[in-house]
Amino acid sequence: MEAENLTRVSEFVLLGLSEEPDLQPLLFGLFLSMYLITVLGNLLIVLAVSSDSHLHTPMYFFLSNLSFVDICFTSTTVPKMLVNIQTQSKLITYGGCITQMYFFLLFAGLDVFLLSVMAYDRFVAICHPLHYTVIMHPRLCGQLVLVSWIMSVLISLLYSLMVLRLSFCADLQIPHFFCELNQMVQLACSDTFVNTLVLYIVTVLVLGGSLTGILGSYYRIISCIRAISSAQGKYKAFSTCASHLSVVSLFYLTSLGVYLSSPATHNAHSSATASVLYTVVTPMLNPFIYSLRNNDIKGALKRLFEMTVLKGGLS
């Protein structure tokens, strides 16, 4: 009988950010607004880069890929949360939960790898400007993005398969607004030692390796900038990587802050609330960070808007 109870899992309950009925309309409006801003902002970046020949460079190629990934990243969690609030149902099927977790991990991994690739791109541009076009040729850029996809697919598949081998008992309530990996593992009533071990090893290797690569690139970048004699040259060199550095800091500080503080607080609700920072807020802010101080992006967006208005007038 116990074996049957362990295998008959058809759905989970997503408790969300709050169980207060009065807060549900506010949460719905807030997250719908943030989601629409995220999709629109990142979509404009993708359209601006693809439609403007001036932006067909490695830096903007990687930026458009990051914007596309951010749209997908947010879309794995927020729409389901909005549907649950609107229908007043907190249920998600077992298959839906595993699928959501897989794609969440996939696009989170892509964020990590793409930010590392973009750091390397900035290193080559600042420290080896004369050889930049030779080193960062289109074929290499495509290969770097392809490798990022392959690595992310394999890692998220490994995590998902590890969860599939777990058994769940009567308590199927997930204190989160999406099927978060750590919460799924903690919910299992079978032995989770192997899952936890694999989770920590792979996470340390991926995040640690990515962060080491980014820090190493910026160490070399700072060394190269310090060697520039003119103040104007130093400012111009640093301004080309300031946006990327801001996005990296925002992503890593929020995500690491959530996972490092969770064991200390032992408060799943606080962890769920804090995770909004890197799952929703960071993808929403990225287009603003890259466009507000970037004349190339602003110029491309202006030309895109003018072209859209012109086509609308002709039709």
Side-chain angles (χ1 to χ4, degrees):
M1 192 66 173
E2 185 179 354
E4 291 181 3
N5 290 337
L6 291 176
T7 55
R8 286 183 179 178
V9 177
S10 59
E11 55 192 16
F12 293 94
V13 178
L14 293 173
L15 297 181
L17 296 175
S18 174
E19 297 185 58
E20 292 292 332
D22 295 339
L23 287 178
Q24 300 311 306
L26 175 62
L27 287 174
F28 182 85
L30 179 63
F31 276 85
L32 178 61
S33 301
M34 289 194 293
Y35 179 65
L36 292 177
I37 292 171
T38 300
V39 172
L40 179 61
N42 284 287
L43 186 60
L44 284 174
I45 295 290
V46 173
L47 292 174
V49 172
S50 60
S51 63
D52 197 313
S53 59
H54 296 92
L55 301 184
H56 291 174
T57 63
M59 181 177 76
Y60 293 113
F61 171 71
F62 295 132
L63 175 59
S64 64
N65 276 273
L66 182 68
S67 294
F68 171 74
V69 169
D70 279 343
I71 293 174
C72 298
F73 183 48
T74 308
S75 298
T76 59
T77 57
V78 177
K80 176 59 179 173
M81 178 188 181
L82 295 175
V83 170
N84 285 0
I85 294 175
Q86 187 66 20
T87 60
Q88 298 182 355
S89 171
K90 298 181 179 182
L91 299 178
I92 183 171
T93 63
Y94 178 79
C97 197
I98 298 296
T99 303
Q100 185 188 61
M101 184 186 66
Y102 171 80
F103 282 106
F104 177 83
L105 294 170
L106 168 64
F107 294 118
L110 276 167
D111 259 342
V112 170
F113 289 124
L114 285 175
L115 288 174
S116 303
V117 169
M118 293 171 77
Y120 175 72
D121 171 71
R122 292 300 81 208
F123 157 69
V124 176
I126 293 174
C127 297
H128 304 283
L130 299 178
H131 301 93
Y132 178 67
T133 55
V134 177
I135 297 173
M136 300 302 295
H137 52 82
R139 184 178 178 183
L140 177 63
C141 295
Q143 289 173 341
L144 289 172
V145 172
L146 179 61
V147 170
S148 298
W149 271 93
I150 293 173
M151 291 293 293
S152 300
V153 166
L154 292 176
I155 292 170
S156 55
L157 183 61
L158 172 64
Y159 283 150
S160 300
L161 291 175
M162 294 298 291
V163 172
L164 282 173
R165 64 184 290 273
L166 295 176
S167 300
F168 299 92
C169 300
D171 184 12
L172 301 176
Q173 294 184 338
I174 302 175
H176 220 293
F177 64 94
F178 67 95
C179 295
E180 200 265 340
L181 177 61
N182 283 334
Q183 298 297 333
M184 293 284 289
V185 173
Q186 292 176 21
L187 206 62
C189 54
S190 56
D191 183 30
T192 60
F193 174 77
V194 176
N195 295 71
T196 305
L197 183 64
V198 171
L199 172 64
Y200 278 106
I201 290 176
V202 176
T203 301
V204 167
L205 288 176
V206 173
L207 286 181
S210 174
L211 195 55
T212 301
I214 292 172
L215 293 176
S217 295
Y218 273 102
Y219 174 78
R220 298 292 301 275
I221 287 171
I222 292 171
S223 300
C224 293
I225 291 176
R226 289 179 62 185
I228 299 175
S229 57
S230 67
Q232 184 179 1
K234 290 181 178 180
Y235 174 78
K236 184 178 179 181
F238 182 76
S239 63
T240 62
C241 57
S243 297
H244 175 259
L245 188 58
S246 301
V247 171
V248 167
S249 301
L250 189 62
F251 180 80
Y252 274 96
L253 288 177
T254 53
S255 57
L256 289 177
V258 168
Y259 286 101
L260 291 178
S261 63
S262 295
T265 59
H266 296 286
N267 191 328
H269 180 72
S270 299
S271 175
T273 304
S275 65
V276 173
L277 291 174
Y278 76 93
T279 58
V280 183
V281 176
T282 300
M284 180 184 69
L285 293 179
N286 284 354
F288 296 100
I289 294 173
Y290 275 106
S291 61
L292 289 179
R293 295 180 60 187
N294 191 311
N295 291 327
D296 292 335
I297 291 290
K298 286 191 286 189
L301 288 173
K302 182 180 178 181
R303 287 188 289 272
L304 178 65
F305 178 74
E306 290 173 348
M307 184 172 61
T308 304
V309 172
L310 181 62
K311 285 184 177 180
L314 293 176
S315 60

